[in-house]
Amino acid sequence: MQIKSKKLWRLLSGTIILIFLLLGSSNFGVIWNAKGRTFDDVTKIPTTHSALVLGTSPITPRGIHNGSFDNRIKAASELYKAGKVKKLIVSGGDYTATERFGCDEPKAMRDSLIAKGVNSEDIFMDYEGTTTIRSLAKQKNFYCYSDTITIISQGYHNQRALAMADRLGLPAIAFDADIPPSRFYKVKNYVRESLARVKMVYSLFLLPPPSSLSFSSNDIEEFEEFIK
């Protein structure tokens, strides 16, 4: 019985060590890769033609207001008004019919940007960017966008998005939207993001990225006209 207990303890210890190694290495790699490519000062970020605002809802799954949404809209409108980007691509999904507090994310972002003074003709809605990797792959593999694009989200999300963009061959920098001040929000998202980075490493290196065939939109001509 004692021998079995020692073997079980060794197995458990080894598993815990492996988990921490995966968490540590994936987080370090993502942070290192993004070094010097994320910005939080409008005056210091390089100018690009377009920015991709990664989707989020103005309402959380619990039905309360989402501060991250407001901050991404604020960041996008600041870049636009400062002339740092000419076009804004808002990416997300329409969950109005599938979730209790579901929202049409691209429409909500577009309407909020217009309310901030962004010209509606400079906003493009991508309804197939339901995940970060799909948002980025849609630009690279479907629209064949080749210029450097500015990714807009919270800093922890941007770091992961840049690693994905690199894997896809999409040149990118990022602008960090403010993180809501709630301590609970910060801890929750730190834990979730740490796990998401491990999953990302698995997805990027062991699974094929979304190809052009995985998207069903017929809006390539519309996008090409928009992006001019």
Side-chain angles (χ1 to χ4, degrees):
M1 179 69 77
Q2 189 174 8
I3 295 175
K4 288 184 178 180
S5 297
K6 286 183 179 180
K7 288 183 177 179
L8 182 62
W9 173 248
R10 288 174 182 171
L11 178 62
L12 181 61
S13 300
T15 302
I16 293 173
I17 291 172
L18 179 60
I19 290 173
F20 274 98
L21 284 174
L22 286 171
L23 287 171
S25 59
S26 59
N27 274 278
F28 176 79
V30 167
I31 292 170
W32 180 263
N33 178 70
K35 192 174 182 180
R37 299 166 61 198
T38 61
F39 302 84
D40 57 13
D41 186 337
V42 175
T43 64
K44 294 181 180 179
I45 188 170
T47 299
T48 62
H49 184 272
S50 305
L52 173 65
V53 189
L54 295 176
T56 190
S57 172
I59 305 296
T60 71
R62 294 187 297 156
I64 61 177
H65 189 74
N66 183 8
S68 289
F69 176 91
D70 293 340
N71 290 341
R72 288 187 203 182
I73 296 301
K74 179 176 178 287
S77 62
E78 286 178 351
L79 283 185
Y80 177 84
K81 291 177 180 178
K84 293 295 184 173
V85 295
K86 295 180 180 178
K87 304 286 184 176
L88 295 171
I89 304 157
V90 293
S91 184
D94 182 358
Y95 304 104
T96 52
T98 58
E99 297 181 8
R100 183 182 178 188
F101 299 107
C103 175
D104 183 332
E105 292 177 347
K107 183 178 183 299
M109 288 191 286
R110 184 200 64 186
D111 292 347
S112 297
L113 286 167
I114 292 173
K116 288 281 189 180
V118 177
N119 189 329
S120 62
E121 294 181 356
D122 293 331
I123 304 171
F124 186 88
M125 295 187 292
D126 171 25
Y127 278 94
E128 291 189 298
T130 51
T131 63
T132 304
I133 188 67
R134 284 183 64 81
S135 295
L136 296 165
K138 184 74 177 289
Q139 300 302 312
K140 178 63 179 179
N141 295 338
F142 190 75
Y143 296 134
C144 299
Y145 190 80
S146 58
D147 292 341
T148 299
I149 197 167
T150 299
I151 301 169
I152 299 175
S153 186
Q154 273 65 35
Y156 57 84
H157 190 190
N158 279 338
Q159 292 174 343
R160 177 162 52 93
L162 285 172
M164 294 182 183
D166 290 348
R167 184 64 174 169
L168 292 166
L170 177 66
I173 58 174
F175 188 67
D176 296 343
D178 291 337
I179 297 174
S182 166
R183 182 175 298 177
F184 171 76
Y185 178 95
K186 291 180 179 179
V187 172
K188 180 189 72 172
N189 279 278
Y190 176 79
V191 173
R192 185 172 64 182
E193 185 63 23
S194 296
L195 296 175
R197 291 177 181 186
V198 174
K199 179 182 177 182
M200 178 202 70
V201 172
Y202 167 78
S203 299
L204 289 184
F205 292 97
L206 297 179
L207 298 176
S211 68
S212 60
L213 298 177
S214 66
F215 301 103
S216 59
S217 297
N218 295 314
D219 59 357
I220 290 181
E221 290 185 2
E222 181 184 347
F223 181 81
E224 290 177 347
E225 184 63 29
F226 164 80
I227 214 68
K228 288 180 180 178

